[in-house]
Amino acid sequence: MSGPDLTTALGELTLANPVMVAAGCAGTGRELEPFLDLSGLGAMVTRSVTLDPRAGGPPPRAVETPSGLLSDPGLQGNGLQGFLATELPWLAQRQVRTVVSIAGRNLGEWAELARRVGLSPGVAGVEVNLAWPPGSAACRDSYQAGKVLGAVRRDMPRGVPVLAKIAPDVHHVVDVARAVVKAGADVVVVGHGLPGLALDRETLRPALGSGSGALSGPSVHAVALNCLWEVHEALPEVHLVGGGGVRSGFDALAMLAAGARAVQVGTTVLRDPGAPGRIVSELRQELDRRNIASVAESIGHAHRPEGEPR
Amino acid sequence: MTPAARGPVQVQGEVLSNKRAGAYQHLTLVAPGVAERFRPGSLVAVAVGGDLSDRMLRRSFPIYRARATGTYRSTVEVVFPVTEPGDSWLGGLGPGAAVDVVGPLGRPYALPKEPVSCTLAGHAHASAPLFSLAERLRERGCAVHMVLGAVDERGLFGALEAKRAAKTVVVATEDGSVGMRGPVGQVLPGLLARTGSDVVYAAGPAAMLHDVAAAAERHGAWSQTALDAGNVCATGACQSCVVPVVGEDGVSRMVRACAEGPVFRGDRVRWADLGTVPEDTWGASRPEEER
């Protein structure tokens, strides 16, 4: 089919299109399979894999807020061994471009996760969840984030791209992005939720079982877009992925134009499990309508003065 | 049926009718593909507020009735109280309005292989899925008995329909305004003693299900309880609506009420521990391990 070229280069990876599903929003993949051609995604990011099995946090783990979702699921999962034995092979069998999100509690765990995930077949890349453990400053503190990335990079086999997922923190996002790149990240994902709180209408106490949580969805889109913009402005050579409230092809294009090379769809998938496929086709139309020949051409478009060639 | 025809579908549905049923809203949707895959106990999840909605989550409901071959092809019906703006939006839709529908979702009621005696216990609007279930049970030659409860007369759902659906019908209200006085869990033991049921099917709030499961166990019956644990995505992807359930191996795990449920064996759910992650759950962290 003719039309815009949707391929995009991310570190050493080439994705068929720039639409990824964000960590934790595609479950194990099985949950979305009835609604979505997983192998047609740019990539799927797995829920964060921890070294040991985890029961997750106390419910309620998510509540609706205006144009958003406040959540703290607490990384429930089968642990690394369970993931490698059952979840990863299922994705590999279906030829899903799989980026494995990892979450360690200390540098030893980060290193072990990096080594064992990196050596597994069917891993297109590894995303470092710097928002873990809760309360750790790694996603918004450049020193901590750099230390984690250093540990992961050192133990990651060559050729496996490392994506560092940082928070769209207005004060520190550029510093943290710089630090993770210096420590060896190939790609920076600006995409965690923002700290948030919701109170229960009856009890007037925190609505989430764990207290506060991460705010995601369309309510954070403009914040995430601005962070992406600032990081691209400061570090134009760094490969970026944008996440935060993407629910349409235009939202995806906006992230590309602000400097991202790919986008992650998260909360939207929980409302609309078929959304990633729809967003890919909407993005194609958005590019077409503007006579933009490729995703590559749209990247950073918003930074270029009007009239300047792409 | 091919394997592909078993999983859930996401379809653009349409409101066929939307009317009041006592204290509740009774919504019928044309949703091709959902009824064909429906089994009693499964859920349907609808997006609320339209394309410009600021409501990020679907509302999920147990299916009241599903018809795969009606005049309007494939329809599903749900019954719900209007308690928040999302419900109110749904309740206000007129015939022909478009609704994005996902379903059927979740694990349905398990049906007995033998024509045994069954008692179905429901509270308020949550009783809705029991009527489809009763139909399937009768088709299998099961004797069906029903107990329907609510806080008061106005809160009852399906008391008239129950007379057609079941051999014995007991109505109970907590204020005694109609039928027996007391919650379902309190009148159930008497009914079980009379009917000698082998299986109890239940739908309602957690406290009621807890009582029903306990009554069934004392009577020596199996229980199948449909639990609403506040589904978030309803497909299982987000792992939010978790409840502690004891597995065949005796190990407790946090499982999703939308995917491994909503129907659980009543004797497997750790009712007293709902809303928590018990310390002995598989993968539960001891506080000192964190940070």
Side-chain angles (χ1 to χ4, degrees):
Chain A
M1 194 175 73
S2 69
D5 175 6
L6 295 185
T7 58
T8 189
L10 206 55
E12 289 174 40
L13 285 176
T14 301
L15 307 182
N17 66 65
V19 177
M20 309 167 73
V21 177
C25 297
T28 62
R30 286 176 172 87
E31 294 84 356
L32 291 189
E33 201 192 23
F35 314 107
L36 190 62
D37 173 17
L38 294 166
S39 64
L41 291 170
M44 175 186 137
V45 187
T46 68
R47 57 184 177 175
S48 290
V49 179
T50 54
L51 200 54
D52 299 318
R54 285 187 57 84
R61 292 176 174 179
V63 294
E64 203 175 49
T65 62
S67 292
L69 183 70
L70 189 73
S71 64
D72 181 12
L75 304 194
Q76 180 171 343
N78 298 327
L80 181 61
Q81 205 176 329
F83 172 77
L84 295 179
T86 61
E87 296 175 31
L88 185 60
W90 187 91
L91 293 165
Q93 215 170 44
R94 281 155 187 78
Q95 307 200 310
V96 180
R97 226 51 202 307
T98 305
V99 171
V100 179
S101 171
I102 57 173
R105 278 179 303 197
N106 52 52
L107 294 180
E109 285 196 8
W110 282 115
E112 185 171 355
L113 286 161
R115 191 165 55 245
R116 289 173 61 190
V117 171
L119 287 171
S120 301
V123 176
V126 169
E127 184 177 277
V128 178
N129 177 357
L130 289 169
W132 185 257
S136 106
C139 62
R140 53 181 61 84
D141 177 313
S142 49
Y143 175 71
Q144 302 278 355
K147 274 205 328 197
V148 170
L149 260 294
V152 169
R153 182 77 273 177
R154 196 165 43 243
D155 280 83
M156 188 67 69
R158 286 202 165 279
V160 180
V162 174
L163 292 70
K165 187 170 178 181
I166 67 175
D169 183 302
V170 287
H171 303 298
H172 309 293
V173 70
V174 173
D175 290 343
V176 178
R178 196 177 276 125
V180 293
V181 170
K182 192 167 166 228
D186 302 291
V187 175
V188 176
V189 182
V190 181
H192 282 298
L194 299 169
L197 179 70
L199 298 185
D200 183 274
R201 279 182 179 276
E202 301 299 319
T203 66
L204 213 56
R205 299 242 150 54
L208 292 182
S210 60
S212 58
L215 180 66
S216 62
S219 53
V220 307
H221 179 70
V223 177
L225 195 62
N226 185 54
C227 288
L228 203 55
W229 168 278
E230 287 188 359
V231 175
H232 185 71
E233 192 83 12
L235 308 165
E237 304 307 317
V238 172
H239 287 194
L240 301 177
V241 175
V246 172
R247 57 172 170 180
S248 67
F250 177 76
D251 295 342
L253 178 58
M255 291 231 157
L256 299 174
R261 308 177 75 91
V263 299
Q264 292 190 351
V265 184
T267 306
T268 296
V269 181
L270 302 182
R271 172 186 166 92
D272 180 4
R278 170 177 59 77
I279 291 171
V280 170
S281 55
E282 287 174 3
L283 175 63
R284 185 180 283 123
Q285 290 162 19
E286 295 285 354
L287 292 168
D288 234 358
R289 207 156 66 75
R290 294 171 174 79
N291 290 317
I292 302 176
S294 65
V295 160
E297 199 180 303
S298 71
I299 296 166
H301 179 92
H303 295 265
R304 296 188 282 271
E306 238 178 297
E308 192 171 292
R310 286 163 187 150
Chain B
M1 221 185 322
T2 61
R6 274 208 298 272
V9 293
Q10 180 176 13
V11 293
Q12 189 68 24
E14 190 186 307
V15 174
L16 183 64
S17 72
N18 201 350
K19 48 192 188 205
R20 293 297 289 178
Y24 309 112
Q25 199 66 30
H26 175 186
L27 174 65
T28 304
L29 296 166
V30 179
V34 179
E36 289 82 339
R37 296 162 170 83
F38 158 81
R39 288 196 284 159
S42 54
L43 307 167
V44 71
V46 297
V48 295
D51 284 347
L52 298 175
S53 179
D54 76 338
R55 301 282 116 186
M56 287 301 105
L57 300 180
R58 280 172 189 267
R59 303 300 187 257
S60 68
F61 307 102
I63 296 171
Y64 168 39
R65 281 194 297 233
R67 293 204 174 100
T69 54
T71 319
Y72 298 94
R73 295 171 301 142
S74 179
T75 58
V76 289
E77 298 171 47
V78 296
V79 174
F80 56 92
V82 173
T83 57
E84 53 89 39
D87 302 333
S88 152
W89 180 85
L90 264 183
L93 292 177
V99 185
D100 188 308
V101 182
V102 171
L105 296 162
R107 184 171 300 190
Y109 287 110
L111 301 176
K113 289 188 179 66
E114 307 292 323
V116 297
S117 165
C118 304
T119 293
L120 280 50
H123 179 86
H125 62 283
S127 311
L130 298 178
F131 296 95
S132 302
L133 174 67
E135 206 176 305
R136 299 275 169 112
L137 290 170
R138 284 200 318 271
E139 285 165 10
R140 288 169 175 250
C142 295
V144 174
H145 311 282
M146 239 180 187
V147 50
L148 295 178
V151 172
D152 52 25
E153 183 174 9
R154 195 176 139 71
L156 285 169
F157 178 79
L160 276 178
E161 190 179 352
K163 295 197 171 114
R164 285 196 304 274
K167 218 176 200 172
T168 319
V169 180
V170 174
V171 167
T173 49
E174 282 163 37
D175 69 352
S177 53
V178 63
M180 297 176 75
R181 180 190 290 271
V184 168
Q186 207 172 299
V187 303
L188 183 64
L191 183 62
L192 291 180
R194 284 210 319 274
T195 61
S197 284
D198 308 285
V199 189
V200 178
Y201 291 96
M208 172 257 188
L209 297 177
H210 188 178
D211 291 345
V212 167
E217 190 145 356
R218 280 196 301 274
H219 174 75
W222 295 105
S223 64
Q224 291 263 314
T225 56
L227 178 63
D228 176 0
N231 302 331
V232 172
C233 71
T235 64
C238 78
Q239 292 193 301
S240 292
C241 56
V242 290
V243 291
V245 168
V246 184
E248 297 283 335
D249 54 3
V251 177
S252 294
R253 292 180 180 78
M254 299 304 291
V255 304
R256 301 162 296 183
C258 69
E260 282 82 28
V263 179
F264 294 106
R265 257 176 62 177
D267 59 332
R268 294 289 190 195
V269 178
R270 293 180 58 168
W271 298 104
D273 297 319
L274 288 184
T276 70
V277 180
E279 259 181 44
D280 58 343
T281 308
W282 192 69
S285 51
R286 256 66 59 196
E288 68 272 18
E289 281 179 31
E290 297 287 343
R291 261 170 276 167

